[in-house]
Amino acid sequence: MSADATVEAGAATTGERAEMVRAENVHKSFGHLEVLKGIDLLVRAGEVSVVIGPSGSGKSTFLRCVNHLEKINAGRIFVNGDLIGYRQRGDKLHELREKEVAEQRRAIGMVFQRFNLFPHMTAMGNVMEAPCRVKREPKARARERAVALLERVGLGDKVDSYPAQLSGGQQQRVAIARALAMQPKLMLFDEPTSALDPELVGEVLDVMKDLARDGMTMIVVTHEIGFAREVGDSLIFMDGGVVVESGHPREVLTAPKQERTKAFLAKVL
């Protein structure tokens, strides 16, 4: 598949689902290093799009571009119909002010490889922080939601625990609850299990599967092929800053069309 071919995530089964994410010819360079070379992607509301590929292929960079943590050099990214990071006037794009970008990010939750929890706050404090500080929610309402979210991720008995008292898997589940506390329309996961001991991976993936069952739109960069096969509506294989191949996970995993995809899967399956 060419780099400019649009990935229609599960399009055959989506019916009239609204577009949640549309990336058009996205380019990103760091100095002279071109990391993204024209990425097109379409994810509809309620779908799970899984992105795989070797290290250095541009997966994480693309994810960070979706919420404008990285500024793109060319192309456009829309989330829920909004042009991310820019305002278009005529044929020109003008970058939004940081306050306006922050407003857009409220609708986009992101979970990183590292948990990035505040060490001086309890699990509940970490989950309450953004709704109270950013959305100015009353503490009582934020606390009620925090307790419910921690229960949802299986940590109802850890609300008063500090990050240092939690396992890596538990910390990552707190990080997921923290992202959900802002009530996002889209969740981005950047290799959320890569920093975990193998025996802790399953508890995080179970939470993500639960979110998928509840209809959360998700883009997941991961090496967990089993998760892609079980939960994904689409599978995108990236290498060298382009989309090499895409389709339904089971089709791509069992009968890849591109030689580069075949070579990669032969090493990871």
Side-chain angles (χ1 to χ4, degrees):
M1 175 176 288
S2 64
D4 61 352
T6 298
V7 180
E8 299 244 358
T13 59
T14 55
E16 295 302 316
R17 283 183 181 175
E19 292 182 6
M20 181 59 70
V21 180
R22 175 180 286 276
E24 299 175 346
N25 196 29
V26 173
H27 289 255
K28 173 63 182 177
S29 297
F30 295 100
H32 296 295
L33 178 62
E34 190 177 15
V35 179
L36 301 178
K37 304 175 182 177
I39 300 296
D40 293 311
L41 180 74
L42 174 62
V43 182
R44 296 186 182 275
E47 294 180 343
V48 178
S49 183
V50 181
V51 185
I52 64 172
S55 298
S57 59
K59 310 182 302 296
S60 295
T61 297
F62 173 71
L63 210 62
R64 291 172 64 86
C65 289
V66 172
N67 64 1
H68 207 61
L69 287 176
E70 296 289 354
K71 301 175 183 179
I72 62 178
N73 299 112
R76 290 168 173 78
I77 298 175
F78 298 87
V79 174
N80 201 32
D82 292 330
L83 178 60
I84 296 298
Y86 300 92
R87 180 181 293 108
Q88 184 161 349
R89 292 174 181 162
D91 295 331
K92 293 185 178 181
L93 294 181
H94 301 268
E95 189 166 2
L96 297 178
R97 293 174 296 178
E98 184 56 37
K99 184 177 180 181
E100 295 172 299
V101 174
E103 183 68 28
Q104 291 184 326
R105 287 195 187 117
R106 290 190 186 190
I108 308 171
M110 187 160 186
V111 178
F112 301 88
Q113 297 178 39
R114 297 291 175 178
F115 325 123
N116 299 327
L117 299 178
F118 296 115
H120 62 289
M121 292 183 180
T122 63
M124 184 163 63
N126 269 278
V127 178
M128 288 176 58
E129 177 70 3
C132 289
R133 184 177 296 272
V134 178
K135 300 177 81 172
R136 305 297 184 189
E137 278 193 6
K139 284 190 176 181
R141 184 187 305 168
R143 185 179 295 109
E144 183 179 356
R145 183 182 298 123
V147 170
L149 287 170
L150 288 168
E151 288 178 350
R152 180 177 182 179
V153 300
L155 295 173
D157 60 338
K158 300 293 185 182
V159 294
D160 295 321
S161 298
Y162 289 89
Q165 298 171 314
L166 301 173
S167 70
Q170 290 170 332
Q171 290 185 60
Q172 191 63 294
R173 284 186 280 157
V174 173
I176 294 173
R178 179 179 60 182
L180 292 173
M182 291 295 284
Q183 299 176 294
K185 294 181 172 64
L186 168 70
M187 286 285 287
L188 308 176
F189 292 87
D190 186 9
E191 300 190 17
T193 61
S194 64
L196 300 178
D197 292 334
E199 65 268 25
L200 302 178
V201 169
E203 62 190 51
V204 173
L205 293 180
D206 285 344
V207 171
M208 294 169 64
K209 291 174 186 177
D210 183 60
L211 290 177
R213 283 191 291 267
D214 285 349
M216 175 62 73
T217 311
M218 301 158 60
I219 302 178
V220 183
V221 170
T222 186
H223 296 292
E224 300 294 335
I225 302 299
F227 175 86
R229 183 185 290 110
E230 181 180 349
V231 181
D233 294 290
S234 70
L235 181 66
I236 295 95
F237 172 60
M238 287 181 62
D239 190 27
V242 302
V243 174
V244 176
E245 186 165 355
S246 67
H248 191 279
R250 291 178 185 174
E251 293 176 359
V252 175
L253 293 173
T254 57
K257 297 182 175 69
Q258 304 300 320
E259 290 303 319
R260 181 66 187 96
T261 314
K262 294 176 184 178
F264 176 80
L265 292 175
K267 295 179 180 179
V268 299
L269 291 179

